Amino acid sequence: VSKQRSIKCKVDIPQPKAECEVLRYSMTAETKNMPLLVQSKASLKGNVCRVGIQIRSNLSNQGDINDLSISVPIPNTMQESTVKITRGADTGSWDECKRLVTWKIGTLPHGQSVLVSVEAEISHTMSQLVADDDISSTKFNEKIQCPVLIRCSSLSDTLTDFALSASPWMEDPSTLSLQQGQSYRLLLRVPTRK
């Protein structure tokens, strides 16, 4: 998680001095809930593996989620020539060189959700593993490994409560004005579940 904050202060000092304390400040921070709820699931039907991802904007958010993109790396246990975006084809793209499916959702309105999915045939080696053994969900997911990478930002919500106060020092005749802006950028990696 990377947070981006900008604090702009304008200081007017009427007479030049050798030394002048410009600002004293105090700050408090308290962590909030994550802005997104993420669910992912891998399912196998015959020799086709489907990975579905649902993202929902947390109801405790104050505003929309912006710049939302979802990426799923396709492992070698799935055949790249058979990759097909089954949900979200209008916002999704497949990069065969990077073996990466990316959906550029853009804005996710407050409290809304989006569902995307991709499928591909499993590799010959994986097919043999599935056929030879009554493979468990855990072993299947260890072999498939399609982590979900999410990027987003918001200007109206924060991941922490942040309060800043400032006041002039002693009898100094300086004028103090404080403008504060907060935002976050989030990178989240979620393992796929079956």
Side-chain angles (χ1 to χ4, degrees), residues 16-89:
K17 295 183 180 181
E19 276 186 28
C20 178
E21 183 173 346
V22 175
L23 176 71
R24 285 188 183 202
Y25 70 92
S26 62
M27 183 174 70
T28 58
E30 181 182 325
T31 304
K32 295 181 176 181
N33 293 333
M34 292 301 283
L36 296 172
L37 303 173
V38 182
Q39 292 179 317
S40 63
K41 184 178 180 180
S43 58
L44 186 62
K45 187 173 183 180
N47 68 338
V48 175
C49 176
R50 176 178 280 187
V51 179
I53 303 108
Q54 183 171 14
I55 311 289
R56 187 173 66 127
S57 172
N58 199 323
L59 292 173
S60 64
N61 294 349
Q62 294 180 16
D64 299 339
I65 300 293
N66 300 310
D67 307 316
L68 176 62
S69 69
I70 305 164
S71 297
V72 177
I74 302 299
N76 291 332
T77 50
M78 297 170 76
Q79 295 181 30
E80 66 184 55
S81 61
T82 63
V83 170
K84 180 181 173 187
I85 298 171
T86 51
R87 280 199 176 218

Side-chain angles (χ1 to χ4, degrees), residues 89-156:
D90 55 332
T91 58
S93 63
W94 162 239
D95 185 330
E96 196 170 337
C97 292
K98 294 180 182 177
R99 295 187 63 99
L100 187 70
V101 178
T102 303
W103 292 269
K104 293 187 178 186
I105 307 299
T107 301
L108 182 61
H110 174 262
Q112 298 295 310
S113 65
V114 63
L115 178 64
V116 295
S117 63
V118 61
E119 68 180 36
E121 292 178 17
I122 56 177
S123 67
H124 179 69
T125 307
M126 191 64 175
S127 294
Q128 285 182 327
L129 180 63
V130 171
D132 293 346
D133 193 11
D134 196 13
I135 192 167
S136 68
S137 298
T138 306
K139 198 170 184 181
F140 176 72
N141 279 314
E142 285 173 5
K143 297 291 182 188
I144 293 295
Q145 292 187 3
C146 290
V148 180
L149 304 168
I150 300 164
R151 296 176 191 263
C152 65
S153 65
S154 175
L155 296 175
S156 57

